Amino acid sequence: MPLSAAELSRYHRHLSLPELGRDGQERLKNARVVVIGAGGLGSPAALYLAAAGVGTLGLVDFDRVELSNLQRQVLFDTAAIGRAKAEAARERLLALNPEISVVAHTLTLDAGNVLDVLRGYVVLDVTDRLTTRYLVNDACVLLGKPLVSAAIHRFEGHAMTYLPGRGPCYRCLFPEAEEGVVASCAEAGVLGVLPGVLGTIQATEAIKIITGIGEPLVGRLATYDALELRFAEFPFTRRADCAVCGEHPTITAPLRTVASCDTADLSSVHRLTPSALRDRLASDGSRAALVLIDVRDPQEFDTCHLEGARNIPVAELARRVGELPDGCTPVFLCRSGRRSLTACALAIRAGIGAPAHLEGGLLAWAAEVDPTFEVARG
Ligand SMILES: [Zn+2]
């Protein structure tokens, strides 16, 4: 469809770039981009893509806006707290550019729906969930769709682009999930402006892919360190043995994965509710058989922890597993129950038969057992 007079005026500074021009702007208008996760990375990515005139923007998010999101998720304002993110984001993007259409997908991506949702889009993966990142990577390889991935952690981030037939995929770079080593933002903290840089890089890549200008970030992992203000890049190549894009792929359909954890068998994990843990701690006999291991970061541990708990951050657990006393059941604790489940997986791999974890984490403990226990509500 040709550009209207209003569009010619709105995109004037694009049209003045001979490399992009009217042809590039029309390609943007006809393009469909889906942003998976309307969060820290998704905010700048979606805002810039809407402003740039991407004709159809999809937004996938099942969450609601919380006060603690506003430090970095610039799509939302204070009045949006409590609203569904995909809906609130849709309104904001249409207010910015009423020439485009925005499709809100208020859902969680899973093996059953991922192919249908992503079909027909260029995909920006901005999720903080590792299982979703692999799910989306695999779906893009299977569908033959371009994918721009980015991730952030504390003060650092990285980005890469997958183009079908042109280069390696995310799984070529990270064949297996190292869940827990990369904790999610809610748990680890993140500098608010950091996703602004990485999300904008993702939007840049999407615009380049759509308009065919420049050199995409294919076969290179770009890294950004905000504290040092340093960009670096690491070349990597396609792996012939990649499980999804290799010569003999074993992944031929989206994988159904254990929520928030990798492929370890977690069937032997004792999942303790807060009241079950309280009862065990109250009985001398069973208390002696337990050792409480808090796997959060030391700063979080110092702020609050359960009496008698020891601190071994999940990222250090694999090499410090020898510190766990023999003959005791380790009960892993974290803020929400996610890192503690990862800790269980690591413990099982290290030969500990039946570790335990506090389901729902210390947040659930505070809600159900001890209202005076102060744990930061991310
Ligand atoms: Zn691959």
Side-chain angles (χ1 to χ4, degrees):
M1 253 220 300
L3 300 166
S4 67
E7 286 172 314
L8 291 173
S9 175
R10 178 182 285 268
Y11 306 125
H12 179 70
R13 295 294 186 96
H14 267 171
L15 304 177
S16 307
L17 292 169
E19 296 83 352
L20 201 145
R22 195 186 268 238
D23 178 56
Q25 193 62 50
E26 282 174 0
R27 287 185 193 208
L28 287 171
K29 182 175 177 169
N30 294 323
R32 297 165 53 85
V33 177
V34 66
V35 176
I36 300 169
L41 292 162
S43 286
L47 284 166
Y48 274 116
L49 291 174
V54 168
T56 305
L57 265 182
L59 291 167
V60 180
D61 207 301
F62 66 96
D63 238 341
R64 291 185 175 273
V65 181
E66 292 179 34
L67 178 58
S68 63
N69 297 154
L70 303 184
Q71 162 254 23
R72 63 196 177 283
Q73 300 183 10
V74 295
L75 258 174
F76 310 113
D77 53 29
T78 308
I81 292 169
R83 295 190 59 196
K85 282 187 172 183
E87 279 301 328
R90 179 174 180 275
E91 235 172 72
R92 171 78 196 278
L93 296 171
L94 287 177
L96 170 61
N97 189 350
E99 308 281 355
I100 63 169
S101 9
V102 180
V103 184
H105 302 276
T106 304
L107 50 81
T108 304
L109 280 184
D110 59 31
N113 63 21
V114 67
L115 294 179
D116 284 336
V117 174
L118 302 193
R119 210 182 294 278
Y121 283 118
V122 169
V123 179
L124 294 199
D125 174 23
V126 294
T127 179
D128 63 352
R129 291 170 177 231
L130 207 54
T131 44
T132 308
R133 191 166 307 147
Y134 283 93
L135 181 72
V136 168
N137 176 74
D138 297 347
C140 287
V141 173
L142 295 169
L143 290 167
K145 288 282 160 199
L147 168 66
V148 187
S149 286
I152 48 173
H153 182 63
R154 291 165 53 81
F155 300 100
E156 296 170 338
H158 64 246
M160 61 158 281
T161 295
Y162 164 75
L163 287 183
R166 284 274 307 270
C169 77
Y170 188 79
R171 216 178 258 284
C172 291
L173 181 62
F174 300 112
E176 275 176 72
E178 287 193 56
E179 184 88 35
V181 179
V182 185
S184 85
C185 291
E187 290 152 349
V190 64
L191 189 67
V193 292
L194 178 70
V197 175
L198 274 300
T200 306
I201 288 175
Q202 289 185 284
T204 310
E205 283 293 285
I207 289 171
K208 285 161 54 189
I209 293 168
I210 293 162
T211 58
I213 60 174
E215 197 50 48
L217 188 56
V218 169
R220 300 179 283 149
L221 181 74
T223 65
Y224 171 61
D225 177 339
L227 288 184
E228 296 288 324
L229 212 302
R230 243 183 257 285
F231 285 93
E233 69 172 56
F234 302 93
F236 66 104
T237 51
R238 188 166 153 256
R239 297 166 63 109
D241 64 348
C242 175
V244 66
C245 81
E247 307 299 336
H248 306 286
T250 52
I251 299 171
T252 53
L255 293 180
R256 286 170 206 281
T257 44
V258 180
S260 87
C261 208
D262 62 14
T263 51
D265 178 9
L266 297 172
S267 56
S268 64
V269 172
H270 295 296
R271 295 161 188 259
L272 298 173
T273 62
S275 44
L277 178 61
R278 176 199 55 202
D279 295 347
R280 292 225 193 167
L281 293 177
S283 138
D284 288 342
S286 61
R287 173 72 185 90
L290 299 180
V291 53
L292 299 179
I293 306 292
D294 192 318
V295 297
R296 294 173 302 156
D297 289 340
Q299 320 76 285
E300 297 176 272
F301 182 80
D302 290 344
T303 310
C304 66
H305 56 260
L306 294 188
E307 201 183 321
R310 291 174 52 185
N311 184 214
I312 304 180
V314 71
E316 297 173 16
L317 186 63
R319 65 181 163 82
R320 293 179 59 186
V321 77
E323 294 176 30
L324 302 179
D326 286 337
C328 287
T329 299
V331 181
F332 294 109
L333 311 165
C334 72
R335 179 175 161 279
S336 68
R338 212 159 126 186
R339 280 174 285 179
S340 55
L341 199 55
T342 303
C344 288
L346 291 168
I348 289 169
R349 262 187 240 152
I352 293 170
H357 95 125
L358 173 61
E359 199 104 86
L362 294 166
L363 284 173
W365 178 268
E368 286 175 37
V369 169
D370 181 4
T372 65
F373 189 80
E374 284 288 331
V375 53
R377 268 163 217 285

